[in-house]
Amino acid sequence: MSASVFHRHLADGAATPRQARQGEAAPGAAPGRRRSAASAPISWTLAGLCGTARVATSFGELPVQALRRNDPLRLPGGRLATVEWVDRISLDEGFLDACPDALPVLIPAHAFGPGRPKNPIMVSPHQIVDTGSSPYQRAFRRARSLLDRPGFLRKPEFLVSYHLFHCGAPEAVQVEGLTLLMEP
């Protein structure tokens, strides 16, 4: 075994050359969790919603997981936009361990004023949220930049499912009374 391969294996959790040759982890090392100490953190860049957050549609509020292509969304100004694309991404414990930035951000109920949001919601850290004090004063920020506020936190999870959708163009949509910017 070459020195570079041996050192890579040692960095991946093997304690001895024999363990490195046989692909064994060091005693006490978590199985299946080998990760190089030199690897750079991965930044999560997909926006989305978790859980049962309710999205305003022309026929009432609908849980995000029930949205379908061509559903009409009611936008903050009262006009309608059609859902063009819907997807769901599930992240397992291994991925979340390798990319902790993908853990959702919990936004507490009434964090931006009464009914904004109506209920606590979990969003992707890359989701753009309206933090403005009124509908006439919009201030959009990524959810990860809100973590310094009281009550906002990363929600530790072993399995995360993000529900993603957009209307073909950037649109501000209402989710639990909170305005979120959904982009293609």
Side-chain angles (χ1 to χ4, degrees):
M1 175 179 290
S2 72
S4 63
V5 172
F6 170 69
H7 289 294
R8 186 180 72 231
H9 281 288
L10 285 182
D12 285 346
T16 67
R18 182 188 60 77
Q19 288 173 332
R21 279 192 302 276
Q22 295 175 350
E24 298 173 11
R33 301 221 180 202
R34 294 183 178 179
R35 191 170 151 204
S36 173
S39 65
I42 302 168
S43 181
W44 181 252
T45 59
L46 293 177
L49 305 168
C50 292
T52 58
R54 301 179 68 78
V55 180
T57 68
S58 66
F59 41 87
E61 291 190 343
L62 190 66
V64 67
Q65 64 266 38
L67 277 182
R68 301 291 177 254
R69 191 168 187 269
N70 295 323
D71 279 351
L73 300 180
R74 182 156 313 279
L75 304 180
R79 68 184 183 87
L80 298 177
T82 303
V83 174
E84 294 289 326
W85 178 82
V86 178
D87 199 4
R88 186 176 129 217
I89 297 175
S90 294
L91 309 177
D92 65 6
E93 182 180 7
F95 184 88
L96 293 169
D97 190 39
C99 182
D101 188 47
L103 285 169
V105 174
L106 177 66
I107 299 176
H110 314 294
F112 303 108
R116 296 186 57 230
K118 297 174 193 171
N119 299 303
I121 61 172
M122 290 193 310
V123 300
S124 162
H126 202 67
Q127 181 62 57
I128 300 173
V129 179
D130 178 15
T131 62
S133 58
S134 78
Y136 308 105
Q137 183 182 359
R138 300 250 186 240
F140 288 103
R141 295 177 58 189
R142 299 245 183 241
R144 74 169 48 88
S145 72
L146 302 172
L147 291 170
D148 59 346
R149 294 182 178 205
F152 289 76
L153 54 99
R154 293 276 187 167
K155 184 82 166 122
E157 300 280 337
F158 292 111
L159 179 67
V160 172
S161 288
Y162 283 119
H163 300 276
L164 297 79
F165 68 93
H166 68 75
C167 300
E171 292 287 358
V173 300
Q174 292 289 113
V175 178
E176 296 285 350
L178 184 62
T179 303
L180 305 179
L181 185 62
M182 306 308 270
E183 299 178 313

